[in-house]
Amino acid sequence: MAESWQWQTAYEWMAEQMERRIGKRPKPDIYPLWAWSQWRDAIHRKPDLRSFGHLAPGTRGVRLACEIPDEQILLSDFLLWHHALNYGYLSLSQAEEEAFETELALCGLTHMPSGPLSDPVFHQRILDSWQRIFDLEDIGRPDWIGNQTQDEKAIQGTFWQLSLDQVREITVFTSRWSGLGSRKFL
């Protein structure tokens, strides 16, 4: 898969952030568990199981509602997390984005490399820009990404482990299409 290096970079970065912010992994080979804190917004906290995208249609699944102490979970903006997944620079404005791309071009680098940037300074600037996914209260510019209030954001949480006593509700479901019946996606 062409984007596997991007995803690996992002997931390793997230694991490093978790170790810094909520503590070390319980075991060296453990990777983060992922959950929704707010699926769509503060009103729609739980994922709507009628929605497209959870599982392939007809597949049985389980939704868990869990209670995890604040000090054991790292919350982040789901939409902005996609910048990390795509190895993108997370700018606060179009002007900042254009300035970064201009700097890259002047150094003979491209914004969409086939691997991590060879220049360690630019690579670190990209990684540092991802810190912005944790600022859930920043509304951002109205004409740019991340311009939602905290109550309007989709917020994900990552944590190292889940114990049975943290599970509050179990919902078994069969995945289906949302809305107007089957849809064709290319």
Side-chain angles (χ1 to χ4, degrees), residues 19-138:
E19 288 188 335
R20 287 185 189 146
R21 296 166 184 254
I22 63 171
K24 296 286 184 193
R25 303 170 198 227
K27 296 179 183 174
D29 59 344
I30 288 182
Y31 284 87
L33 298 172
W34 239 263
W36 289 110
S37 176
Q38 290 182 184
W39 178 56
R40 282 199 178 146
D41 51 38
I43 296 169
H44 303 93
R45 295 180 90 65
K46 292 181 183 180
D48 182 344
L49 299 179
R50 299 167 295 180
S51 293
F52 169 77
H54 299 298
L55 298 167
T59 305
R60 288 180 49 87
V62 176
R63 179 181 66 190
L64 301 177
C66 306
E67 189 171 318
I68 300 169
D70 290 347
E71 66 274 6
Q72 294 177 16
I73 191 165
L74 179 58
L75 300 178
S76 59
D77 185 311
F78 174 72
L79 176 65
L80 299 183
W81 163 244
H82 288 79
H83 285 268
L85 284 177
N86 292 301
Y87 193 70
Y89 180 77
L90 179 50
S91 64
L92 295 177
S93 68
Q94 185 170 352
E96 181 185 352
E97 174 88 8
E98 290 170 358
F100 182 75
E101 289 187 22
T102 298
E103 287 180 66
L104 283 175
L106 290 172
C107 293
L109 301 169
T110 177
H111 179 73
M112 297 306 285
S114 58
L117 289 175
S118 58
D119 183 302
V121 173
F122 282 108
H123 173 74
Q124 191 59 50
R125 283 181 62 190
I126 288 173
L127 299 184
D128 290 346
S129 76
W130 298 347
Q131 293 291 332
R132 295 168 173 169
I133 73 172
F134 303 117
D135 189 358
L136 300 176
E137 295 178 14
D138 184 27

